[in-house]
Amino acid sequence: MGTLWEKLLFWKKKPKMLEEGVDYQFVDLNDSELTGVGIIKGEYEGVLYHYHKVKVVKEGALARLQFGYTIVHPGKHDIDVLTADENLHTMMGDILSSILMAKTNEQTRTNDSEESDLQ
């Protein structure tokens, strides 16, 4: 059930910064070492998915966030409709942007000299 979606960062529009615990939450997926993301607010409330193959692709002074995902539970939605829903893809990109920005800010605050595990 995976699909690949590309999200533009800082190009055309700035990603909407969503908050953990308000807009989404992390969910341990049973029988798996993966952590899912559950949407807890808005139109896609109840949708549970996880990311895979996340990377930042540099394009000159800009960057594009590229990721794959798998919908684990569609909530009250039809999974086929969700897979084709551009608004959901944009929200997933915004959530991922928020997660990455929080991780980057956390690493900056700790002033850690080790190389980042973000790719």
Side-chain angles (χ1 to χ4, degrees), residues 23-42:
D23 301 296
Y24 67 91
Q25 64 186 4
F26 294 109
V27 178
D28 289 330
L29 300 177
N30 294 334
D31 303 324
S32 173
E33 293 181 10
L34 299 173
T35 299
V37 176
I39 300 174
I40 57 177
K41 182 178 172 184

Side-chain angles (χ1 to χ4, degrees), residues 48-111:
L48 176 61
Y49 65 96
H50 68 84
Y51 296 102
H52 51 86
K53 299 180 184 178
V54 175
K55 67 180 179 177
V56 176
V57 179
K58 292 182 182 180
E59 296 178 343
L62 303 174
R64 177 173 37 93
L65 183 58
Q66 185 178 40
F67 62 95
Y69 67 90
T70 300
I71 295 174
V72 177
H73 180 65
K76 63 184 179 186
H77 304 277
D78 179 272
I79 197 159
D80 294 324
V81 173
L82 287 177
T83 302
D85 189 329
E86 189 171 324
N87 290 329
L88 176 61
H89 298 159
T90 298
M91 184 176 193
M92 289 175 168
D94 290 344
I95 290 172
L96 183 56
S97 296
S98 297
I99 293 167
L100 293 173
M101 294 300 282
K103 176 85 171 160
T104 300
N105 290 339
E106 177 183 305
Q107 288 175 346
T108 301
R109 282 193 307 271
T110 62
N111 199 20

